[in-house]
Amino acid sequence: MLFRLANPTQDFSMNTPQIIPESFEPTRKTLGTILSFAEPQVLRVPPYQRHYSWEDEQVKSFWDDLVAFRGRHPGEAIQKKFYFLGAAVLVNTGSEYLILDGQQRLSTATILLAAMRDVIRNANRAAADQVQNQYLLREDYFKGKKNPKLLMNDSDRDFFRQHIQEFSDAPPVAPKKTAPRSHHRIAKAYKIFRDRLEQGWIKARSKEDDISWIGGLLQALTENMALVAVTATDEDSAASIFETLNDRGIGLSVNDLLRSWVLSKVDEEQRADALDFWNKAEADAGQGRGAGDLIRRSWVSTHGDVKARSLYRTVKFTLEGEADKSGTALSEVCLDFSRRIRDDAKNYEQLVSAEHEDLETAELWRFFMSAKATAAHATLLAAMRELQDAEVRVLTRALESLIVRHNIICARDRSEFETAVYEAAVNISSKKGLASALERLRALSPDEQEFSALFAKVSFKKQQATIAQHLLRRLEARLSPSEETFVAQAKKVHLEHIYPQQPTTKWEHHADYVDRLGNLTLLAQKLNSGASNKDFNKKKSEYYSKSVLKLNEYFKNVATWGAAEIEARQEKLAEFAQQIWPKSLVSDP
């Protein structure tokens, strides 16, 4: 996603104070300025930085933003207007600029410039050459060298140069099927830009050699799309920029910065191994938010709670402290940290995908996601690392009970839940075992009286339908503990309002009862569709009677359906709830 502000014309160079000026300096720079740095200071992505990672949606968003910005400021009206794209963190080594943050935007802009060059080459070769020499790859005829303006990391460099930066009359080199995904993303980004340029140019031009429409986009891209470029003199100073910029609302990626810092501290001979650990972790957990969540959950599972915005600083200082205290080289500490992230990534991917051979466990992991209780992932990561699988299943049931009792029914403070599950995770990681974790979780479990009273009155609005379905599925599983029925429920049954959401005749207290759990049941999709807004007796005789679910046998002896019947049924369900989600969370293993 691109970085946006309410006022894209704001001049940040005037409003941003100098931050530690002897270490680094923030200034507003246009994309064209950054991409046309004078030699020998070319832009280079360090070898430990990630590959090109933008997917189609992000590439299209970049294009749409450019076209929309140009459209709002046609002709000379674009002068002194700027569209803010976020921050770029650079390190000036004297011979080159290392890109620590911003490489995806800069490489995407380079791909778009290459597409512009190729689209206009036949109409105006001189203009195409100008784009090539100024922004892509300058040819030194005296030295016989071609110097790219942007050097990608080791994995992408050669392909990016051949496919994007080289100016050839031959068609672009297509990546092999076995090539890295980043190569395919680069090729796809080029194709998206080229297709859109050709389509737009055909509509806009007045004659074959009229390149003014593309020229207008080129101007907007290189002269008016800007970043806050923060240039440091060394990588350690650059690393500290994240916290300052993040505090000011410029959302750099903590996982990208942390990954870069860790890999920069690993000795060169071990860096390939560490980079492989991170690449495998991101392949399992996903880049961006997925990787960020993984790193935080992994860290919390062994060290306790840390907020996302403080994660970089906390990890950095802790790893440095561990190295000093133990006398172990920081390189080894960072390598071990990278290895643990890789190992946890496989388990994390299982958790978020809800993949487990035990069907009940998989169902409960899905529930943690829908209940927005993913803090429990930290506890489960610790358990999957330290405990037997049978103990992981016991812990999963205990976490479900606590989520239902504490978070959903009793609606208590979620921060207390997070504190408890994080402390339980640390207990497990500290080799204190399952019993210690359960003891910490049980301390937060509401008492039976409060839980029963609130369960007997709880309602679930439309946006909470998945939670209501889960509770009813668990109640059904208790009434009919058949694994085959349990599986069918999760995939094929729908939530049914016994008293309809849109009844022919509305009750006086419609809003008080329509979403009560006592007014909800489960029905197979076809039966649910047929029952719809029919009255209770017709639903009972034509639909509920055909259901194989034990939940719906309840209605056999119910003659009418009103507020009193809803209250009575929900009180009965509350009795079962105490058995399914007990105060002790689970029986002692």
Side-chain angles (χ1 to χ4, degrees):
M1 195 128 183
L2 297 180
F3 297 84
R4 297 177 180 171
L5 294 182
N7 180 10
T9 66
Q10 185 175 353
D11 187 340
F12 286 85
S13 63
M14 298 296 294
N15 296 324
T16 305
Q18 301 297 301
I19 311 162
I20 318 178
E22 57 275 1
S23 297
F24 55 84
E25 179 184 1
T27 57
R28 186 195 67 208
K29 291 186 183 296
T30 63
L31 283 175
T33 299
I34 295 175
L35 290 171
S36 60
F37 278 145
E39 293 182 32
Q41 292 176 285
V42 298
L43 292 162
R44 183 169 71 84
V45 179
Y48 51 79
Q49 285 279 24
R50 71 168 67 256
H51 310 324
Y52 185 74
S53 62
W54 272 22
E55 303 289 352
D56 294 1
E57 181 180 352
Q58 293 160 297
V59 173
K60 292 174 182 176
S61 177
F62 188 94
W63 168 265
D64 291 342
D65 286 351
L66 172 64
V67 173
F69 176 68
R70 190 57 169 120
R72 289 195 301 272
H73 306 290
E76 295 302 312
I78 202 169
Q79 297 297 325
K80 297 184 179 180
K81 305 290 185 182
F82 297 97
Y83 190 92
F84 179 61
L85 289 173
V89 181
L90 310 173
V91 178
N92 184 355
T93 68
S95 61
E96 60 190 0
Y97 283 91
L98 297 179
I99 307 173
L100 296 195
D101 189 85
Q103 71 174 81
Q104 303 299 328
R105 282 156 284 161
L106 292 172
S107 51
T108 301
T110 299
I111 296 170
L112 176 51
L113 286 163
M116 289 178 171
R117 172 202 65 197
D118 293 342
V119 169
I120 65 173
R121 77 169 75 200
N122 292 330
N124 192 321
R125 180 66 185 227
D129 287 337
Q130 179 180 331
V131 173
Q132 174 72 4
N133 292 325
Q134 188 167 354
Y135 302 116
L136 298 170
L137 185 149
R138 191 180 72 82
E139 189 164 1
D140 188 329
Y141 294 99
F142 292 101
K143 295 181 180 180
K145 292 182 178 180
K146 293 181 178 180
N147 303 309
K149 300 289 186 174
L150 172 66
L151 292 173
M152 300 291 278
N153 68 5
D154 292 349
S155 176
D156 290 342
R157 184 172 302 158
D158 290 342
F159 178 79
F160 194 82
R161 176 166 178 157
Q162 294 168 12
H163 192 96
I164 301 299
Q165 294 170 313
E166 294 283 358
F167 193 8
S168 171
D169 292 329
V173 179
K176 298 178 180 178
K177 289 184 179 180
T178 56
R181 287 185 61 193
S182 57
H183 293 191
H184 290 277
R185 293 191 190 105
I186 291 167
K188 187 63 181 295
Y190 174 86
K191 184 177 187 307
I192 289 171
F193 286 143
R194 179 153 186 169
D195 288 348
R196 295 196 172 197
L197 282 165
E198 288 176 342
Q199 293 165 10
W201 189 32
I202 290 172
K203 294 179 181 178
R205 66 189 180 190
S206 58
K207 54 185 179 178
E208 286 295 319
D209 61 349
D210 181 3
I211 62 169
S212 59
W213 181 75
I214 291 180
L217 291 179
L218 176 67
Q219 178 187 4
L221 176 66
T222 58
E223 298 179 20
N224 304 94
M225 298 196 93
L227 300 115
V228 170
V230 189
T231 305
T233 56
D234 59 79
E235 292 188 49
D236 286 336
S237 296
S240 68
I241 295 170
F242 167 76
E243 295 145 89
T244 305
L245 292 182
N246 202 49
D247 286 343
R248 294 167 186 235
I250 303 173
L252 300 180
S253 167
V254 64
N255 46 293
D256 278 352
L257 193 66
L258 185 56
R259 175 184 189 271
S260 297
W261 178 81
V262 168
L263 292 174
S264 71
K265 297 305 176 185
V266 174
D267 288 343
E268 192 169 345
E269 59 268 22
Q270 295 177 308
R271 189 170 288 165
D273 290 337
L275 182 58
D276 185 58
F277 293 157
W278 282 87
N279 288 341
K280 287 179 177 177
E282 290 174 347
D284 288 331
Q287 294 178 358
R289 183 173 180 178
D293 288 346
L294 160 66
I295 295 169
R296 180 169 178 244
R297 300 302 184 203
S298 176
W299 185 263
V300 166
S301 73
T302 54
H303 294 81
D305 191 15
V306 58
K307 301 307 177 189
R309 67 185 302 161
S310 303
L311 183 62
Y312 169 74
R313 178 189 298 168
T314 301
V315 173
K316 177 177 180 288
F317 287 173
T318 303
L319 295 183
E320 289 175 335
E322 288 178 6
D324 289 341
K325 185 175 181 180
S326 65
T328 306
L330 181 58
S331 174
E332 290 295 329
V333 172
C334 288
L335 186 66
D336 287 343
F337 173 72
S338 302
R339 186 180 292 110
R340 186 170 72 243
I341 293 296
R342 178 206 60 186
D343 293 342
D344 280 348
K346 293 184 180 298
N347 292 331
Y348 181 78
E349 196 275 335
Q350 275 188 271
L351 288 171
V352 297
S353 302
E355 294 179 358
H356 196 283
E357 61 182 10
D358 178 65
L359 297 172
E360 180 187 30
T361 300
E363 171 73 3
L364 298 188
W365 288 357
R366 277 190 291 273
F367 167 65
F368 295 168
M369 300 289 285
S370 62
K372 294 180 171 55
T374 53
H377 287 165
T379 318
L380 290 167
L381 279 177
M384 295 166 83
R385 217 187 291 124
E386 303 291 343
L387 304 179
Q388 300 295 316
D389 189 60
E391 294 177 302
V392 173
R393 294 199 296 271
V394 170
L395 181 62
T396 296
R397 293 197 299 274
L399 287 165
E400 183 220 13
S401 292
L402 186 60
I403 292 166
V404 171
R405 295 179 70 89
H406 182 277
N407 294 8
I408 295 173
I409 302 303
C410 296
R412 291 193 178 179
D413 187 348
R414 293 286 183 111
S415 65
E416 293 180 357
F417 169 78
E418 291 186 3
T419 298
V421 296
Y422 293 157
E423 290 178 1
V426 173
N427 287 349
I428 293 171
S429 294
S430 301
K431 312 292 184 183
K432 294 180 181 179
L434 175 61
S436 176
L438 291 177
E439 181 181 1
R440 177 64 185 93
L441 298 177
R442 284 171 177 152
L444 203 63
S445 180
D447 63 42
E448 287 93 341
Q449 185 175 359
E450 179 187 4
F451 177 70
S452 289
L454 292 172
F455 195 97
K457 299 294 183 182
V458 71
S459 296
F460 293 97
K461 299 297 183 182
K462 183 177 181 180
Q463 61 269 28
Q464 299 169 302
T466 55
I467 295 175
Q469 283 180 305
H470 175 80
L471 299 187
L472 291 169
R473 285 199 299 268
R474 296 291 278 163
L475 287 161
E476 173 64 25
R478 183 73 177 184
L479 295 169
S480 176
S482 163
E483 191 174 85
E484 182 178 358
T485 304
F486 181 78
V487 176
Q489 293 166 27
K491 297 179 179 178
K492 298 180 181 178
V493 298
H494 287 200
L495 194 64
E496 156 73 1
H497 287 71
I498 302 160
Y499 165 62
Q501 292 174 291
Q502 297 178 332
T504 304
T505 304
K506 258 190 181 182
W507 293 355
E508 181 181 355
H509 301 292
H510 171 90
D512 295 334
Y513 286 96
V514 68
D515 294 318
R516 286 278 296 272
L517 188 64
N519 188 52
L520 304 177
T521 189
L522 299 173
L523 270 182
Q525 182 178 356
K526 287 186 178 180
L527 293 175
N528 177 243
S529 178
S532 188
N533 295 328
K534 294 181 172 61
D535 62 46
F536 173 72
N537 287 324
K538 189 171 284 291
K539 286 186 176 186
K540 173 184 170 181
S541 61
E542 296 183 12
Y543 300 98
Y544 300 165
S545 63
K546 296 177 182 178
S547 172
V548 299
L549 301 182
K550 292 291 184 180
L551 276 173
N552 296 324
E553 289 185 5
Y554 178 88
F555 304 111
K556 285 182 180 178
N557 300 316
V558 179
T560 60
W561 194 252
E565 287 73 23
I566 291 174
E567 297 278 8
R569 180 170 179 260
Q570 194 155 341
E571 288 176 5
K572 187 67 176 176
L573 294 177
E575 295 176 13
F576 289 116
Q578 286 285 13
Q579 301 169 29
I580 301 168
W581 305 289
K583 184 182 188 310
S584 62
L585 306 185
V586 289
S587 301
D588 288 316

